[in-house]
Amino acid sequence: MPTCNTDSQYEYRECLDIIYDIIQKYQESHKIILCGDLNGTLLDSRNNKHDKILKSFVSEMGLSTGVDKDERHTFFHHAWSSSSQIDYILVNDKKLISKYNIDEKSSINLSAHTSVTVKTTIEIPANTKPAIKNKKAKFKLQWDKIDKRQYNNLIQQDSTSIIEENNVNTQMDMVTNSLIRAGNITIPKKLLQLKGPKWKASPEVQILLRSCRDLYKQWQEVGKQKDHPMATMLRNEKRKLRSKVRMEQALSRQNLYQQIMDNPNSQLFYRLINRNRSNQQTSTNCLKIDENYNYVPEEQRKSFAKYYEDLSVPKENIYENGYLNLCKIRQQLYEQAIDKEAEDPEQFTESEVMKAIGKLNTKKSADESGITAEHLQNSKSTVSPVLTSIFNNIILKRTVPVSFKFGILTPVLKKQKDPTVMGNYRGITVTPTIGKTFEYAFLEKLNLKSKTLLQFGFTEGLSPIMSSLLISESRYEIKKIN
């Protein structure tokens, strides 16, 4: 904590504010132990500006030493001009501490402080297993450096045994394992840099940032006086920094617009949409479960799982009888049509499967098995016979592989909704990559062609979000001209 000097109470409060936020975040799920040189005393014999702030903070947060207060001092000035008690171990639960001790000043102790020790009631099991580190999302596959020939050769070695297998689920397990094994051997990996800002400062901005930091340190050394010339210099330098950042951001926007005009594509289009979306704070450390706020991540995860599982279960009582009867009639018609084609259904060809692989979007998240579109697109000719065999087995045996029914579901907060309410989240699911390939191949057989220029869904090169953009832009223009 900051030492006591001119106007240090402001910096002292800032430090306590940080500690306050940490305690607020974890006090519902953890026991709090705060220890260190607090540069303020809880004794009644002293009451300077730090002492008053610290006593108020400790009282507000319900902190204490857990036992009767010890009056002995913990800090002794090197010149022996003064001494005080400023080193503490504080807890929010008195039952945590069974013994509190302040050591006597020793001649062999060269520090100005003496040691403070406590005996806690916390028990740690001797057979505690080390935490298993999460290995996901730590590395990124470098597809541009893949050994394509070896990758295809490794998959080719497993192709015959996969095609000869009759069970669809076994086939899926075998092809997934083959793709993952081949990828691990032939695709270099690089460590993901998970920390740091997404925005990269230019060299000019970095110079201004360093200048602002240096000026701030110099201003801090003179006591942060508001009327000091250093404060004026710092304000001017910050003004230059903000101006430079705004200029670069404006230039970045213009470059994006120019790219969209010169080479329009879906990736640039969605970049534009995401840029204009609200970047409101959506994170929360608590969730409202059964009318109570819960701070335990494991219980929150289970509650989300239960919530989405309940959503997926059909409920007849929420639909009208007329609608339900219509659905049953449709289902009967589908089954009759399938029965007619069951004897000799139209099967997939390798060219159809290769075309479906080509439609997969790259640079997307891996599915639950770790398979991405790149795994298939870098082995089109090799993996197509295998997938053709699997897809035809699905058609002939009318069996959906179990793996097609799994996915990684992520709750995403709806716009401008309370993040603590579970019902305000929609589930976004990463479905199996091979399942998507089957869907693309199957959709091609359905021959869904648009019959009107106003049809945006199920239309190649178009999507409903484009229609939405046209409508919102038209509405904006009409409002603009009254």
Side-chain angles (χ1 to χ4, degrees), residues 101 119 141 160 226 233 307 359 371 384 402 409 439 443 447:
N101 182 60
K119 185 176 181 181
L141 298 177
T160 304
K226 293 182 180 180
M233 292 172 63
Y307 171 73
K359 291 182 177 181
I371 302 294
S384 291
V402 174
L409 188 147
E439 290 173 4
L443 280 171
N447 196 26

Side-chain angles (χ1 to χ4, degrees), residues 130-143:
I132 299 174
K133 294 183 178 180
N134 182 13
K135 295 182 179 180
K136 291 184 178 179
K138 285 191 174 181
F139 295 92
K140 181 181 179 181
L141 298 177
Q142 295 181 285
W143 288 102

Side-chain angles (χ1 to χ4, degrees), residues 268-421:
L268 291 175
F269 180 76
Y270 282 105
R271 269 183 63 189
L272 177 64
I273 291 174
N274 290 330
R275 172 172 281 189
N276 294 329
R277 279 179 176 164
S278 171
N279 58 352
Q280 60 173 337
Q281 182 67 24
T282 59
S283 60
T284 178
N285 63 336
C286 69
L287 202 64
K288 201 171 185 179
I289 302 172
D290 298 327
E291 300 302 321
N292 295 316
Y293 288 104
N294 190 299
Y295 292 83
V296 184
E298 182 64 19
E299 292 181 10
Q300 292 176 358
R301 186 191 65 78
K302 290 179 179 178
S303 297
F304 264 123
K306 184 179 178 182
Y307 171 73
Y308 285 112
E309 183 181 356
D310 181 64
L311 279 182
S312 66
V313 176
K315 300 176 180 62
E316 293 191 2
N317 58 347
I318 65 173
Y319 298 111
E320 296 179 355
N321 290 331
Y323 177 74
L324 284 174
N325 291 331
L326 184 59
C327 290
K328 290 176 181 178
I329 293 170
R330 285 175 178 164
Q331 179 68 18
Q332 291 171 1
L333 292 172
Y334 294 150
E335 291 176 354
Q336 290 171 11
I338 291 172
D339 290 337
K340 289 180 181 179
E341 295 184 5
E343 296 179 2
D344 187 24
E346 184 183 355
Q347 297 188 28
F348 293 98
T349 63
E350 288 185 24
S351 60
E352 289 175 335
V353 173
M354 290 182 70
K355 187 176 180 181
I357 291 173
K359 291 182 177 181
L360 293 172
N361 292 323
T362 57
K363 299 179 181 178
K364 298 293 183 181
S365 299
D367 62 17
E368 191 177 18
S369 303
I371 302 294
T372 63
E374 286 85 351
H375 279 94
L376 303 182
Q377 291 187 351
N378 282 281
S379 59
K380 264 188 187 181
S381 57
T382 308
V383 81
S384 291
V386 176
L387 295 185
T388 303
S389 171
I390 295 174
F391 294 170
N392 285 332
N393 267 345
I394 294 173
I395 294 294
L396 292 169
K397 297 178 181 180
R398 291 162 66 177
T399 302
V400 179
V402 174
S403 60
F404 280 16
K405 304 175 184 179
F406 285 84
I408 304 171
L409 188 147
T410 303
V412 178
L413 184 66
K414 297 174 184 176
K415 191 175 181 180
Q416 296 178 345
K417 295 290 184 178
D418 183 359
T420 63
V421 179

Side-chain angles (χ1 to χ4, degrees), residues 30-144:
H30 295 71
K31 299 294 184 182
I32 304 299
I33 300 179
L34 173 64
C35 52
D37 174 7
L38 302 183
N39 267 320
T41 186
L42 300 177
L43 297 179
D44 299 329
S45 56
R46 202 180 79 176
N47 210 25
N48 65 27
K49 54 189 176 183
H50 282 202
D51 302 335
K52 292 176 182 178
I53 298 170
L54 180 62
K55 289 172 183 176
S56 175
F57 174 80
V58 167
S59 175
E60 181 184 356
M61 302 308 297
L63 299 172
S64 69
T65 56
V67 295
D68 293 336
K69 192 182 296 183
D70 194 323
E71 300 287 337
R72 285 179 291 176
H73 290 186
T74 63
F75 171 79
F76 300 87
H77 195 275
H78 286 291
W80 291 93
S81 57
S82 63
S83 63
S84 59
Q85 184 187 96
I86 59 175
D87 303 274
Y88 289 98
I89 300 176
L90 305 175
V91 293
N92 67 338
D93 184 355
K94 292 183 179 180
K95 296 178 181 178
L96 286 176
I97 304 297
S98 61
K99 186 178 179 181
Y100 193 100
N101 182 60
I102 298 175
D103 290 345
E104 296 291 343
K105 181 66 175 173
S106 170
S107 58
I108 61 173
N109 180 9
L110 302 182
S111 168
H113 300 260
T114 61
S115 58
V116 179
T117 58
V118 297
K119 185 176 181 181
T120 71
T121 58
I122 301 169
E123 293 183 3
I124 302 175
N127 61 346
T128 303
K129 295 181 180 179
I132 299 174
K133 294 183 178 180
N134 182 13
K135 295 182 179 180
K136 291 184 178 179
K138 285 191 174 181
F139 295 92
K140 181 181 179 181
L141 298 177
Q142 295 181 285
W143 288 102
D144 56 329

